[in-house]
Amino acid sequence: MPASTVTIRILRERCKKCLNCVRVCTAFDGVFEEGPDGYPVVARPEECVQCLICHTVCPANAIVHENYRVTMLINPDEAIIERYRNMV
Amino acid sequence: MTGKLTLAVIPLSGCGGCEVQVLRALALHEDLMERYEIVYWPLVVEETKLPEKVDVAIVEGLVRTRENLEALREARLRSRTLILLGSCAAWGGIGGSADSFNPRLSMKAIYGREGIEESAEMLPRAYAAADLVPVDYIISRCPPPVEHVVLALRAIAEGKKVPVADSTVCSQCPREIKPVEKLEFKPGLPGPNADPKTCFLSQGYLCLGSVTTVGCGAPCTRHGVTCFGCGGPHIEIAERRDMDIVTALAKKVATLAGLDPANDLDKVVDMLLKVYEPRRFYVFTFASQVLRRKPHGYAVHALASTRRDPVFVKRLEERAHFASGEEGL
Ligand code: SF4
Ligand code: SF4
Ligand code: SF4
Ligand code: SF4
Ligand code: SF4
């Protein structure tokens, strides 16, 4: 996996400092670490296997994997509208 | 008429709360009154027919009667932009709980008869308006904050996209999330002894903030009440077939408790469903087809268990008995 193209960001204005991301990360050494101010830091982005379980357990949807899944970055309302359009 | 967009507000089976929000939006923001002309709105103007063409139509409420269904179809066909306002229109809302009972039994319990000729024709189930027609915008929540209505109407008037946020209520909640030491759930609501600074989930109370879409500013949790999810599910839960309100919440709580969100999922879901009635997770989404279709969801489960709830059934029977007795008097 071209890990170098993936950037992981934590949106601090959303983050609750619950550290679910640190607890859950699937990568061997863990991608996240608790930072000195209690917020998680992306310590080893190259370890990420892009399982995205961290997104599932984050209570605030505060993690962004850039250049990986566009679904996290698109306008969600547009997506749901598109789905309804396809339904009828 | 010059340069103004025509606006119609069409109430279905709602409580009127969403209409009041539109009213407030227009009353508080002069620029909106300059941009929109109200051409149809039973609450506000005398016009009794929806015009053939309107620029923006706002629909409130869920679909409960045939009349509602026709009004919704008409709104879609005649409007350039259709906005569904409120959780009723988006997910069935509180009114969706009507599906707890068979409509004929409900009629019997209230009027002592299964049907009344002069009353509206009831559909066999309640529908979220969003499940029935293609829509342009959904402004969820019960009721949606005035600011959301203003934002949408302004953006549409300016030909812009309505800005959308994709976070959850937690991101606006001031409570601090702490790891859960021992996983257990307390039934009922937090009392005066609950810690006012710590997240309800961390204290073992059921809070739907982490699975509910952002936008209200978390007024409930700020005032000591858990989030009941009036905003509707978070967008990813709505969109993804593998996600549902109960499972998404269970995964987050499991991780907080140091469990594995995949391997221990069933265990946590079982715990949740043992302590809380399944309908507690779908208070505002009970009628939503989006959630009923989830392969790993519990909305249908909630529907079935509610319909079979012995307390409900008994009350309904008693009521029906009483109502028919009253008829004879
Ligand atoms: S799981 Fe989300 S909210 Fe919790 S610490 Fe990580 S980024 Fe922040
Ligand atoms: S996607 Fe998976 S491997 Fe990557 S940071 Fe998240 S939990 Fe860790
Ligand atoms: S969403 Fe809430 S405020 Fe709006 S019509 Fe339904 S019940 Fe009333
Ligand atoms: S789960 Fe509820 S109490 Fe906890 S942070 Fe989220 S909204 Fe606040
Ligand atoms: S905190 Fe939850 S229940 Fe309260 S207004 Fe927000 S979404 Fe609705």
Side-chain angles (χ1 to χ4, degrees), chain A residues 14 16 58-61 79 81, chain B residues 136 166-168 170 173 175 239:
Chain A
R14 293 183 181 182
K16 298 286 295 178
C58 173
N61 207 23
I81 292 155
Chain B
D136 298 293
D166 62 352
S167 188
T168 66
C170 289
C173 170
R175 289 174 182 262
E239 271 184 354

Side-chain angles (χ1 to χ4, degrees), chain B residues 99-140:
Chain B
D99 262 10
S100 304
F101 313 111
N102 177 318
R104 279 179 290 118
L105 284 183
S106 299
M107 288 294 276
K108 225 172 150 188
I110 298 164
Y111 302 107
R113 285 179 280 172
E114 282 197 0
I116 303 174
E117 297 84 70
E118 62 271 26
S119 92
E121 185 193 337
M122 299 271 254
L123 296 174
R125 59 162 283 197
Y127 294 91
D131 290 338
L132 299 175
V133 294
V135 297
D136 298 293
Y137 292 103
I138 294 173
I139 310 179
S140 182

Side-chain angles (χ1 to χ4, degrees), chain A residues 14 16 18 20 23-24 53 56-61 72 75-81 83-85 87-88, chain B residues 130 135-136 138 164 166-168 170-171 173 175 177 179 210 234-236 239 243 251-252 255-256 261 290:
Chain A
R14 293 183 181 182
K16 298 286 295 178
C18 70
N20 260 1
R23 263 174 233 124
V24 85
I53 186 80
T56 311
V57 301
C58 173
N61 207 23
M72 277 170 284
N75 176 334
D77 266 16
E78 284 295 309
I80 207 160
I81 292 155
R83 213 167 55 78
Y84 284 126
R85 277 206 188 103
M87 260 165 66
V88 180
Chain B
V135 297
D136 298 293
I138 294 173
V164 180
D166 62 352
S167 188
T168 66
C170 289
S171 68
C173 170
R175 289 174 182 262
I177 304 186
S210 67
H234 176 243
I235 195 76
E236 267 190 38
E239 271 184 354
M243 280 204 175
K251 282 183 185 171
K252 293 174 214 270
T255 312
L256 272 183
V290 172

Side-chain angles (χ1 to χ4, degrees), chain B residues 147-202:
Chain B
E147 293 79 6
H148 295 204
V149 180
V150 174
L151 223 67
L153 286 179
R154 224 176 246 158
I156 291 167
E158 287 165 5
K160 288 186 192 146
K161 282 227 162 99
V162 182
V164 180
D166 62 352
S167 188
T168 66
V169 172
C170 289
S171 68
Q172 296 185 329
C173 170
R175 289 174 182 262
E176 192 192 337
I177 304 186
K178 291 182 187 151
V180 177
E181 298 199 344
K182 187 170 174 292
L183 192 60
E184 45 185 13
F185 297 106
K186 299 177 186 141
L189 297 173
N193 294 336
D195 179 349
K197 295 224 169 76
T198 306
C199 166
F200 286 123
L201 289 179
S202 308

